[in-house]
Amino acid sequence: MKYKGEVALITGSSKGIGAQIARQIAEKGIKVIINYSSSEENAIKLSQEIKRNGGECEIKQFDVSNFKETKEAVDSIIEKYKRIDYLINNAGITKDNLILKMSEEEFDKVISVNLKGAFNCTKHISRWMIKNKFGVIINISSVIGLMGNAGQSNYSASKSGLLGFTKSLAKELGSRNIRVNAIAPGFIETDMTNVLNIIQKKSLISSLAIKRLGKPEDIANLVDFLISEEASYITGETINISGGLYI
């Protein structure tokens, strides 16, 4: 595949899906900015791994939910590289609870990181994409944003919000040669699913058309394609990659 861009920022990329996206994008010869909020040790290990394998990367710590902090981080990246070509809005958290028990803080925090974080990054980066007349933005949503899930009204709302955000941005930015798409992963083998016991995992897998949990590579492979020139006519789409959980 062919890649036009030179620099990629992947938020929440110190581990899990974000880390695998960073690995694979770096393999394409693209400079990768690894963002983290609190997992410094994981970010350092990932950076060392990418560099050992011949890739270029650097670590950038900032809280995507903080508007000013995000702007300062973006400005520092632009000062050094003069561009950010690919933005992968991957940072996300969960604070699950039934609505009768969910606190205001649990709701606000999830919306702030998962949805406002994508706004903050896109707001500060899109102006540079417009200036450079090129950019690709990928919002990592969730199948839960499509189908909902009991005990996850905050998470579902944040991930569903990303889908409308994606469509609106695609219409706003398409004429500036900037594409915007969303990916809706299902249950992927990460820290979020590692907490499930064997019985819970078996029950979950039985609900899937493809009888296994997804791997971070499954999502990263799709990101590889969507940022490539082979996907240059795709924008405003939400791609469900859940092993048949949501059909």
Side-chain angles (χ1 to χ4, degrees):
M1 290 187 283
K2 299 176 183 177
Y3 301 89
K4 184 177 179 181
E6 300 174 13
V7 181
L9 170 63
I10 305 109
T11 67
S13 53
S14 63
K15 55 185 177 180
I17 292 172
Q20 187 59 33
I21 293 171
R23 291 185 186 97
Q24 294 189 201
I25 289 181
E27 288 175 0
K28 307 303 184 296
I30 298 165
K31 299 178 183 69
V32 170
I33 312 299
I34 300 167
N35 159 255
Y36 74 97
S37 178
S38 58
S39 303
E40 182 178 26
E41 183 178 351
N42 289 328
I44 291 172
K45 287 180 179 178
L46 176 62
S47 174
Q48 292 171 340
E49 176 189 342
I50 288 173
K51 290 176 180 177
R52 279 198 307 271
N53 292 328
E56 294 185 62
C57 67
E58 70 172 85
I59 299 169
K60 187 67 66 173
Q61 191 275 334
F62 64 93
D63 178 0
V64 297
S65 70
N66 186 304
F67 188 85
K68 181 181 178 182
E69 198 172 306
T70 300
K71 183 180 186 303
E72 290 172 350
V74 169
D75 287 348
S76 70
I77 297 168
I78 293 296
E79 183 178 2
K80 181 174 182 179
Y81 297 108
K82 312 303 180 188
R83 62 194 305 124
I84 297 175
D85 303 295
Y86 306 119
L87 168 61
I88 317 299
N89 285 312
N90 171 74
I93 62 170
T94 58
K95 288 186 177 294
D96 299 346
N97 221 333
L98 297 174
I99 192 65
L100 293 178
K101 296 181 178 180
M102 185 176 292
S103 68
E104 181 181 15
E105 188 277 333
E106 287 172 331
F107 186 87
D108 287 350
K109 185 62 177 177
V110 169
I111 296 294
S112 184
V113 173
N114 298 7
L115 184 54
K116 192 191 174 201
F119 163 78
N120 289 342
C121 291
T122 305
K123 166 75 174 177
H124 298 310
I125 291 172
S126 58
R127 62 191 293 259
W128 296 102
M129 290 180 170
I130 291 171
K131 182 178 180 180
N132 291 325
K133 299 178 181 179
F134 175 78
V136 181
I137 300 169
I138 298 178
N139 297 315
I140 306 298
S141 178
S142 169
V143 70
I144 301 303
L146 295 169
M147 61 187 286
N149 195 35
Q152 290 191 301
S153 59
N154 51 359
Y155 184 76
S156 180
S158 70
K159 294 300 188 178
S160 181
L162 281 176
L163 306 184
F165 185 64
T166 296
K167 293 178 185 296
S168 295
L169 288 177
K171 291 182 177 181
E172 285 185 30
L173 301 175
S175 64
R176 308 302 184 92
N177 197 31
I178 300 168
R179 297 186 292 106
V180 189
N181 290 291
I183 297 174
F187 292 100
I188 309 299
E189 291 180 355
T190 63
D191 290 348
M192 289 187 182
T193 55
N194 287 340
V195 299
L196 301 176
N197 60 42
I198 294 177
I199 295 175
Q200 289 172 321
K201 283 187 178 180
K202 284 184 177 180
S203 176
L204 178 58
I205 291 171
S206 69
S207 67
L208 305 177
I210 298 176
K211 302 300 181 184
R212 67 170 177 85
L213 297 180
K215 298 181 182 299
E217 290 89 335
D218 294 320
I219 310 304
N221 290 339
L222 181 55
V223 171
D224 282 351
F225 170 68
L226 288 176
I227 68 171
S228 75
E229 289 303 287
E230 282 77 359
S232 63
Y233 202 54
I234 301 174
T235 195
E237 294 298 324
T238 297
I239 301 177
N240 162 23
I241 179 166
S242 63
L245 175 63
Y246 183 72
I247 297 176

